[in-house]
Amino acid sequence: MEDWLDPLYDADGMRASDSWAIDTAGVASLDLMEAAGAALADAAIASCGPGPARVVCGKGNTGGDGLVAARLMAAAGLDVETLLLWPADELSPDAATNLERLDGHHREVDREIDAALGGSGVVVDAIFGTGFSGAPRAPADAAIDAINACGSPVVAADVASGVDASTGEVARAAVKADLTVTFHAAKLGHRIHPGKGRTGELRVADIGIPAGAPAAPAGGSIRDAVLDLLPRRGPQSTKFTSGQVVLVGGSRGLTGAVCLAAEAAIRAGAGYATVAVPADLEPIFEVKLTEVMSRGFAGADGRLAAADADAIVSACSRASAVVLGSGLGRDEDSLELARRVAAGVEAPLVIDADGLNAHADAPQALAGRGAPTVLTPHAGELSRLLGVDSDAIGAARLARAREAAELTDSLVVLKGDDTLVVDHDSLAVAGLSSPALATAGTGDTLAGTIAALIARGLEPFAAAACAVHACTRAGRIATARLGGADSVVAGDVIAALPRALVAGPLE
């Protein structure tokens, strides 16, 4: 895995790491459980307010982690009550051993779980762990609802119960934790919504799995080291060595989108940029874009037209990267133009906005391109591309992004608080988030930045991940400058890009 990613594991990877530690490295499973429970206890003690601590235990090894935590919390002087959702004789062997070690009150609960949690100083969720998938069934479903309704601080063991650690999916109900203590390494489900929204603060605890476990991470969280990949201009650099970006789009009422994408491309280091725009709107671009060239095409009534396709493809012949779709418009003639340009351009192509909408009926046509293709949809655009309801995207973001990548033979950047960068073999997840990016034009900013980094020589996966990280950093820098995220606009994000593209503190 790339060294600029912090590893994220799925259930299979964690299961393999645990097995290797026990079977090959000789670490006792009870020692792993003791270390996990100790980390969980420390977090619960720090989180506990007035009232007894309640530990809600499942029957598997995560329940065993909870039993260890209950014992250690009691030893630290807390009033602790342990609640078993299943009969004690159904506990896993290691969990059963720790129930025997528990010198404190425990009881089996079922229907009375709501009342049992009332007035808790802290609730420890130790129902399900990394291996859970699907929808929780009785008695766990009622316990999850009760935990969420109790109003007490909630500390989750490993993964908030109900969250699929491999995907972040939530089939029905999941605990909404204030803090999750996960063991050995972070999981995909901690970083991908909806699971990310159930995780709260995430802490990773070392439980004694030695270095060298053969299980490979399933993906990674992007960190600042990705910025070190960027080539820097030197004495011999020219505008040609920094690459040319061509941006195809713009229509009456939507000139801002292509302007923002072009400005981002220049700020992200492209040597020069050219906008391919409707001729009757070209004076607008000449005024707005001082550092960017423009080429007008005949079009029709303030928009580009399918008849312009061959000329636009020719204008892209020397481009290092092309952005297609910003502010293009959704009339059928403009959409046909997008389809023809996508098929004809031989340079790496970043497709956004209406360039994506143009392929909603036949996304597989993009698989025939001979050069790299990067798609940058938000959930609504991906739902149209795949022909599914937008709720289906939100419920299974990783699966849907992978589906689109396979269908189109493209790199997919599914935008959001947990932006995913997905291709056939690799997965990167945004390591930072910024509410400032929840405003019009930041998607165009990202598209222009990706294209610029490709033009500067990064391969598409690295370019996309670097652009995602830099734009998020820029959103945070802009927030600090303006005193809050609510007043940030896309232009502020672009202005912050130069600082964001250089690794270092944001403050």
Side-chain angles (χ1 to χ4, degrees), residues 118-136:
S120 299
V122 67
V123 174
V124 175
D125 160 31
I127 304 172
F128 297 128
T130 300
F132 172 82
S133 63

Side-chain angles (χ1 to χ4, degrees), residues 323-351:
V323 177
L324 172 64
S326 300
L328 187 65
R330 295 194 190 182
D331 63 280
E332 182 51 40
D333 200 32
S334 296
L335 297 180
E336 177 59 23
L337 166 77
R339 290 188 283 268
R340 294 185 186 182
V341 170
V345 166
E346 297 181 355
L349 181 62
V350 180
I351 305 180

Side-chain angles (χ1 to χ4, degrees), residues 91-369:
L91 293 177
S92 70
D94 283 357
T97 296
N98 276 296
L99 182 62
E100 293 173 1
R101 293 176 176 177
L102 180 64
D103 183 18
H105 181 61
H106 72 271
R107 62 189 173 105
E108 297 174 10
V109 295
D110 189 357
R111 297 181 184 276
E112 69 274 23
I113 183 68
D114 291 278
L117 296 180
S120 299
V122 67
V123 174
V124 175
D125 160 31
I127 304 172
F128 297 128
T130 300
F132 172 82
S133 63
R137 298 191 295 270
D141 53 354
I144 289 170
D145 291 340
I147 291 172
N148 289 338
C150 74
S152 302
V154 176
V155 178
D158 209 10
V159 180
S161 292
V163 172
D164 188 316
S166 299
T167 65
E169 295 176 19
V170 174
R172 191 197 72 81
V175 166
K176 186 170 177 57
D178 297 292
L179 168 65
T180 296
V181 180
T182 197
F183 310 130
H184 181 59
K187 319 304 186 295
L188 291 174
H190 295 136
R191 299 298 190 191
I192 301 174
H193 281 294
K196 180 179 179 180
R198 305 305 182 103
T199 297
E201 178 189 347
L202 180 66
R203 297 181 188 172
V204 179
D206 180 1
I207 60 170
I209 296 177
S221 179
I222 306 167
R223 58 190 184 91
D224 281 356
V226 72
L227 302 173
D228 295 334
L229 300 177
L230 287 171
R232 305 296 176 182
R233 293 179 186 173
Q236 303 304 314
S237 298
T238 70
K239 64 183 180 182
F240 302 106
T241 59
S242 295
Q244 177 188 12
V245 176
V246 175
L247 306 102
V248 182
S251 59
R252 195 177 306 280
L254 296 172
T255 58
V258 71
C259 289
L260 290 169
E263 289 170 345
I266 290 295
R267 283 295 183 193
Y272 60 114
T274 303
V275 293
V277 295
D280 53 354
L281 300 182
E282 191 174 7
I284 296 172
F285 295 98
E286 288 288 323
V287 171
K288 294 180 74 171
L289 297 172
T290 304
E291 293 90 357
V292 175
M293 294 174 286
S294 67
R295 287 194 57 178
F297 294 86
D301 190 26
R303 61 175 176 79
L304 296 172
D308 300 321
D310 289 344
I312 291 174
V313 169
S314 178
C316 296
S317 62
R318 301 177 71 176
S320 305
V322 175
V323 177
L324 172 64
S326 300
L328 187 65
R330 295 194 190 182
D331 63 280
E332 182 51 40
D333 200 32
S334 296
L335 297 180
E336 177 59 23
L337 166 77
R339 290 188 283 268
R340 294 185 186 182
V341 170
V345 166
E346 297 181 355
L349 181 62
V350 180
I351 305 180
D352 189 34
D354 291 325
L356 296 166
N357 293 324
H359 292 87
D361 292 333
Q364 63 274 15
L366 292 169
R369 283 182 33 80

